[in-house]
Amino acid sequence: MKSPKSDIIKKGTTKAPQRSLLKSIGLSDTDITKPFIGIVNSYNEIVPGHIHLNKIADQVKDGIKEAGGTPLEFFTIGICDGIAMNHEGMKYPLASRGIIADSIEVTAKAHAFDALVMIPNCDKIVPGMLMAAARINIPTIVISGGPMLAGVYRGKKVDLNTVFEAVGAYENGQMSSDELCELEEVACPGCGSCAGLFTANSMNCLSEAIGMALPGNGTIPATYKERYELAKRSGQKIMELLDKDIKPRDIITDDSLKNALVTDMAIGGSSNTILHLFALAYEAGLEYSLELADKISATTPNLCRIRPAGVHHMEDLNAAGGIPAVLSELSKKQLLNESCLTVTGEALKNTVQKAENKNNEVIRDIDNPYMKNGGLAVIWGNLAPNGAVVKKSAVAPEMLKHSGPARVFDSEEAAVEAILGKKINKGDVIVIRYEGPKGGPGMREMLTPTSSIAGMGLDKDVALITDGRFSGATRGASIGHISPEAADGGPIACVQEGDTINIDIEGKTLNLDITDEQLNERLAKIKPFKPKINSGYMAIYAKLVSSADKGAILK
């Protein structure tokens, strides 16, 4: 192994002061001579996906020590989207992605770490850490905390999204308060990222497909012993990556990001993955576009229907062979670049060859997909000139094409009030605007309105479009990321109550049923947007953030 990068802070006579400081934290002379491996931990005591990450870190440390390194742990923030949902707090999770990346960069650069092990789990933490890895570009491996097990309610598997939808059922008189309380008690049975293929688990799965995490990272449940074994192996593996000088930008390439998109379409991941893959590409100095996502979606079959798209949970996907088994099916049609390097130290082909699809009900055979194209769809039209995104695999067939009157709301709260107040009718198209990256600010997830619609039994009758975004737990005809957003003068700002909106998800179109002349007249009358927050971090964020079709990155 070549001389550690960390020698810059510990080797030679002039570094006696630094060594003195290092000895004050308990490091011996022997510890100081070894490579310094930073362990980036997002452990905290409020996020269910993170409450056990201290135990994951302990295993990582053991692996590093056994392989000849000195582990040094530091922490970054993490927000629980579920707890932040449907109040001011939801403005912050997407914005936290940049803070996470920045804080890791600052700490890693300041202390001259030789390599990093990143321990994320939930929604914005995973992409934030991946972005930092690409930016810093020293040997890095990701080991997440793993998904939560599904709960059981009256003999049926349930999860957090079940509870969100149950609120709508309760408000509609379809569930009693006692039943809701009973469900609340059992839906989230322990630690881990929420049990469906929501954003956190989608991104942890894609970390495998990109090559930045060992096989099993996305699907091994948080409470399984295999999760802790994987953590220890990750600690050992980082020393091998350091020895071979394999860095994130050797792994995160055009081809590996395409592999991630192919996998995303096959499993039907969260629509938020589009935002995060764009941001990761930007950090790695690569080009990415909605056109590319659309092209890959058109040629990739949808093989999985994990909650909310179907009845299976992450534990079922894991038992079926996990992401390696999905990759194995995709390889049968040469849909992957299997020469891409991974943190195993070998090409992706090696992972694919070892994989087995153990349940073709959970992971469909490549010749028998749920759909011939991907679980996510990109659509355009006069309402979304720069594109919009929908989780097609979670849309009822009868809602793939829909026309209806616009019901216009300038905030999520106003829309939820109308939905729970039973003011939404079958056939309506709910429009929620000024909730984009700049307009929100922060591009809030809309799980409360979408789950309320589903819980009230309207998900096969009502569509929802927004310049905001949706939780990975969202199902139904929910179209988000509409670009340009209303705050940037996008056409969604021109929609009036009662306008007819035409949606054709199969045809990839989203249009306001007015003439071009009428649309231009309305656009000319849009008033300049007044920021909703004028101080603190979110005010800075609103000034710097890009459009959703660019990944909501900060420039």
Side-chain angles (χ1 to χ4, degrees), residues 41 51-52 73 86 100 188 190 234 263 378 394 410-411 442 495 538 542:
N41 195 348
I51 190 68
H52 64 303
E73 185 177 9
N86 194 36
I100 291 163
C188 298
S234 296
T263 306
V378 181
D410 287 346
S411 71
V495 182
M538 293 309 296

Side-chain angles (χ1 to χ4, degrees), residues 20 26 70 88 112 132 137 141 148 153 209 249 290 312 315 339 398 400 426 429 460 470 488:
S20 181
T70 296
E88 184 185 23
N137 202 35
I141 193 169
M148 185 185 292
Y153 172 74
R249 291 198 185 193
L290 283 177
H312 301 125
E315 62 205 67
S339 66
E398 52 265 57
L400 291 171
K426 289 185 177 181
V429 179
K460 296 181 180 179
F470 297 110
D488 271 338

Side-chain angles (χ1 to χ4, degrees), residues 41-58 75 78 80 119-122 145-146 148 189-193 222-223 228:
N41 195 348
S42 52
Y43 164 79
N44 61 52
E45 293 185 344
I46 190 170
V47 182
H50 294 217
I51 190 68
H52 64 303
L53 296 188
N54 55 339
K55 298 177 183 177
I56 297 290
D58 287 343
F75 297 88
C80 177
I119 309 178
N121 213 25
C122 292
M148 185 185 292
C191 64
S193 47
T223 55
Y228 297 94

Side-chain angles (χ1 to χ4, degrees), residues 406-449:
R407 304 296 306 279
V408 183
F409 304 95
D410 287 346
S411 71
E412 178 187 2
E413 289 87 351
V416 170
E417 183 179 354
I419 293 165
L420 296 181
K422 301 181 181 180
K423 296 178 182 179
I424 300 300
N425 304 309
K426 289 185 177 181
D428 285 349
V429 179
I430 300 170
V431 179
I432 305 179
R433 61 192 180 191
Y434 294 102
E435 289 286 6
K438 179 185 293 185
M443 204 178 182
R444 288 193 287 183
E445 287 184 344
M446 305 286 180
L447 181 56
T448 297

Side-chain angles (χ1 to χ4, degrees), residues 87-104:
H87 61 94
E88 184 185 23
M90 184 39 74
K91 295 180 183 291
Y92 290 86
L94 183 59
S96 76
R97 186 182 69 179
I99 294 176
I100 291 163
D102 291 348
S103 67
I104 296 170

Side-chain angles (χ1 to χ4, degrees), residues 72-83:
L72 295 165
E73 185 177 9
F74 65 98
F75 297 88
T76 189
I77 61 171
I79 293 174
C80 177
D81 285 28
I83 296 173

